[in-house]
């Protein structure tokens, strides 16, 4: 207890995105606990809201109903096969284990309209395991579901426009609460546990230059509130960090628009060409984060994605493509001449590349359905590299407890989502689709459950 606090709660959550809301909801199942969520501002939205809302989970009833055999262990193996970070195994396993539980909880207890994205093939995923909302409205709908559930709980207080500004600590180094600005006034909120759920630092140019110099200057496609505040407070307390150079990049960001092309297009048989009209990469062999680096190395840092009517019909069923279409980020072309003129690519080279390319879809058939060469009319959109969120952060254990650099947990301090060291390894190449929300909802779930079970009545 903090004697000079302005408010006293049991659990103070900093950040009202997916991680913070799930942590609050799970902790508040213990009716003896009072939980406060301090949110910088909901005006712009959080990254969970901006996201596609695709939840990776292995072993759900949605997969079983679709005849897909999967498990948390298989999910963990897939992540570890690409993340270049074998030491993350305990955390990857812990997160994959809880993912099917919260996906089903979202549907059964919160009424979220969940469906399995059987058409959402992604590099490295051995089976379809991205779960989304029916209608594919994306993360905005997920956050709306979580906020409604928070509003319905009388032991959770959601305080908007209340940025956390620092941590309160006792002489023994334990965390006893959080400092916030409430209505512009500095306030001290005493708490028995503080959950840092304020996302990463992709909107902080100084931290990006220091930790992710490789991505400096790349288009940032997330919200401006991800300024790394919680990570900085942890560092001030001597917390250890990991994978600070890791980030979620995206190779299919549309230059000038900031919208994204659907990452399923390569898996439906789309072709990627450079500004010289040549194909330069195996489109299906890369995760979209790694593809970002490969495209960034092309002349002009961009490439043209080309797809046919068949792929178009399948890919339009997503909020990404609806946004891109509304922004005029891609166009339909009836002839080679029209495509070459509109894009400035050399038509003879483009004709040669198109003639030598076979459009193979792996979405319905994992061993590949060869649709032959691409036929006009074709759709085309420029793609470049963007940064969506950082993936490194405060080192946590499998309960979300923040670790001091000397090796022990900092009493009273938890972190999850983008504020915690993620599971995508030390660079942008180890990100597997769904890892971002897995660390957000997963740590929210684990930490919230732990606090509900261990913080008894005062
Ligand atoms: C365009 C885009 C698409 C994506 N698509 C996917 C996807 O489909 N699947 C997937 O798994 N991942 C996806 N990601 C990544 C994923 O969105 C993030 O990893 C995840 O949302 C992080 O969740 P979070 O709860 O940690 O952070 P957020 O959802 O960003 O929430 C953090 C909250 O903390 C608040 N905050 C910040 N600082 C403070 C402070 N000092 N005090 C109080 N509050 C503060 C912010 O305002 C924000 O509301 C995507 C990201 C982007 C940008």
């Amino acid at each position: 207890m903090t004697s000079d606090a302005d408010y006293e709660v049991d659990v103070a959550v900093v950040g009202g995105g997916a991680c913070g809301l799930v942590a609050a909801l799970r902790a508040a199942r213990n009716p003896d606990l009072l939980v406060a969520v301090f949110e910088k501002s909901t005006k712009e939205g959080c990254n969970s809201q901006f996201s596609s809302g695709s939840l990776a989970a292995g072993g759900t009833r949605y997969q079983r109903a679709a005849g897909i055999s999967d498990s948390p262990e298989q999910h963990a193996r897939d992540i570890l096969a690409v993340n270049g970070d074998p030491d993350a195994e305990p955390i990857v396993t812990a997160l994959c284990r809880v993912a099917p539980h919260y996906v089903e909880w979202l549907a059964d207890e919160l009424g979220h309209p969940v469906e399995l994205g059987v058409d959402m093939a992604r590099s490295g995923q051995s089976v379809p395991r991205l779960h989304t909302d029916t209608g594919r409205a994306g993360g905005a709908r997920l956050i709306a579901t979580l906020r409604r559930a928070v509003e319905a709980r009388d032991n959770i207080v959601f305080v908007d426009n209340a940025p956390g500004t620092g941590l309160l600590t006792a002489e023994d180094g334990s965390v006893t609460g959080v400092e916030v600005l409430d209505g512009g006034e500095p306030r001290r909120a005493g708490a028995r546990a503080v959950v840092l759920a304020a996302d990463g630092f992709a909107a902080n140019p100084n931290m990006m230059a220091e930790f992710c110099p490789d991505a400096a200057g790349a288009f940032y496609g997330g919200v401006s509130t991800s300024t790394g505040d919680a990570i900085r407070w942890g560092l001030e307390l001597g917390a250890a960090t990991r994978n600070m150079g890791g980030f979620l990049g995206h190779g299919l960001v549309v230059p000038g628009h900031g919208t994204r092309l659907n990452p399923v297009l390569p898996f439906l048989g789309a072709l990627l060409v450079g500004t010289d009209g040549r194909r330069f990469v195996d489109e299906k062999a890369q995760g979209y984060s790694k593809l970002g680096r490969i495209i960034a190395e092309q002349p002009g840092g961009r490439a043209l994605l080309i797809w046919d009517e068949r792929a178009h019909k399948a890919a339009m069923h997503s909020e990404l493509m609806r946004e891109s279409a509304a922004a005029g980020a891609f166009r339909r072309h009836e002839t080679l001449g029209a495509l070459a003129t509109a894009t400035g690519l050399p038509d003879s080279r483009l004709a040669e590349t198109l003639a030598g390319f076979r459009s193979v879809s792996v979405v319905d058939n994992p061993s590949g359905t060869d649709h032959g060469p691409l036929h006009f009319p074709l759709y085309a959109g420029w793609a470049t590299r963007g940064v969506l969120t950082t993936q490194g952060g405060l080192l946590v254990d499998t309960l979300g407890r923040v670790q001091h650099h000397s090796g022990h947990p900092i009493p009273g301090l938890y972190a999850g989502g983008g504020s915690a060291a993620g599971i995508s390894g030390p660079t942008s190449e180890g990100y597997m689709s769904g890892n971002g929300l897995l660390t957000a909802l997963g740590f929210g779930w684990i930490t919230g459950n732990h606090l509900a079970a261990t913080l008894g009545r005062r």
Side-chain angles (χ1 to χ4, degrees):
M1 238 7 92
T2 312
S3 54
D4 55 350
D6 298 295
Y7 331 111
E8 285 292 354
V9 295
D10 297 293
V11 179
V13 178
V14 183
C19 180
L21 295 173
V22 172
L25 285 165
R26 297 306 295 179
R29 284 176 317 128
N30 180 338
D32 293 335
L33 300 184
L34 177 61
V35 181
V37 181
F38 296 103
E39 165 55 44
K40 196 184 248 182
S41 167
T42 54
K43 198 169 171 197
E44 188 185 352
C46 55
N47 273 335
S48 303
Q49 205 168 333
F50 258 46
S51 80
S52 313
S54 312
L55 305 173
T60 64
R61 68 162 187 263
Y62 300 94
Q63 291 176 305
R64 285 193 294 280
I68 293 164
S69 164
D70 196 11
S71 65
E73 292 70 30
Q74 189 174 333
H75 185 185
R77 275 195 301 276
D78 285 355
I79 291 173
L80 290 162
V82 302
N83 78 352
D85 186 13
D87 293 347
E89 192 271 335
I91 284 178
V92 173
T93 302
L95 292 170
C96 291
R97 271 197 194 132
V98 299
H101 297 291
Y102 63 69
V103 166
E104 295 182 10
W105 166 77
L106 282 168
D108 298 342
E109 290 193 32
L110 307 196
H112 194 60
V114 174
E115 72 173 11
L116 176 67
V118 280
D119 53 344
M120 295 170 72
R122 296 290 188 270
S123 174
Q125 285 182 352
S126 51
V127 292
R129 67 166 70 94
L130 291 182
H131 297 70
T132 174
D133 61 302
T134 55
R136 310 279 165 96
R141 196 169 190 182
L142 176 66
I143 289 297
T145 296
L146 293 169
R147 288 229 179 102
R148 261 197 315 275
V150 161
E151 276 163 22
R153 302 266 350 180
D154 55 12
N155 62 338
I156 305 180
V157 190
F158 187 93
V159 196
D160 199 2
N161 300 310
T165 54
L167 293 170
L168 303 176
T169 52
E171 271 177 20
D172 64 1
S174 60
V175 170
T176 55
V178 59
E179 292 171 330
V180 299
L181 286 177
D182 189 358
E185 296 294 324
R187 296 277 182 254
R188 294 160 66 85
R192 294 195 283 163
V194 173
V195 181
L196 300 176
D199 206 359
F201 55 89
N204 182 325
N206 291 337
M207 287 179 82
M208 285 302 283
E210 182 177 355
F211 299 112
C212 304
D214 174 34
F219 170 85
Y220 169 52
V223 292
S224 65
T225 49
S226 295
T227 45
D229 308 358
I231 297 174
R232 289 201 312 272
W233 309 335
L235 284 170
E236 283 160 22
L237 283 189
T241 54
R242 270 195 96 224
N243 291 339
M244 290 292 279
F247 62 91
L248 161 55
H250 204 291
L252 298 180
V253 170
V254 184
H257 294 284
T259 59
R260 288 162 291 144
L261 299 174
N262 193 334
V264 81
L265 279 165
F267 299 90
L268 288 164
L271 161 71
L272 205 48
V273 296
T275 49
D276 59 359
R278 290 178 204 268
R279 186 171 179 230
F280 60 90
V281 69
D282 176 352
E283 298 83 354
K284 291 189 247 313
Q286 328 297 333
Y288 51 70
S289 188
K290 182 173 177 186
L291 190 60
R293 199 254 306 146
I294 296 171
I295 291 180
E297 287 166 5
Q298 289 300 301
R302 60 186 186 151
L304 190 72
L305 191 69
I306 304 173
W307 64 96
D308 63 8
E309 195 70 60
R310 174 191 53 80
H312 190 69
K313 282 195 183 122
M316 277 308 287
H317 189 44
S318 84
E319 119 284 357
L320 295 182
M321 289 297 274
R322 289 193 291 266
E323 278 175 10
S324 290
F330 58 80
R331 281 176 57 191
R332 178 183 156 118
H333 305 274
E334 302 297 330
T335 63
L336 176 72
L339 174 60
T341 305
T343 56
L345 298 191
D347 54 1
S348 55
R349 179 74 66 208
L350 194 52
E352 209 175 284
T353 304
L354 283 168
F357 179 73
R358 298 194 72 84
S359 176
V360 177
S361 168
V362 292
V363 170
D364 302 321
N365 169 13
S367 46
T369 304
D370 187 342
H371 294 281
L374 290 171
H375 292 294
F376 282 91
L378 293 177
Y379 295 81
W382 287 104
T384 189
R385 179 196 213 180
V387 173
L388 300 185
T389 50
T390 51
Q391 289 290 296
L394 301 171
L395 180 64
V396 292
D397 66 9
T398 53
L399 292 173
R401 297 183 299 185
V402 175
Q403 305 296 296
H404 194 267
H405 63 70
S406 59
H408 60 82
I410 298 177
L413 191 61
Y414 296 78
S419 299
I423 52 173
S424 303
T427 69
S428 66
E429 314 233 333
Y431 185 89
M432 177 170 292
S433 190
N435 278 4
L437 289 172
L438 178 60
T439 52
L441 281 93
F443 274 126
W445 180 270
I446 290 171
T447 300
N449 286 350
H450 170 72
L451 293 174
T454 56
L455 287 186
R457 196 185 282 262
R458 273 174 215 252

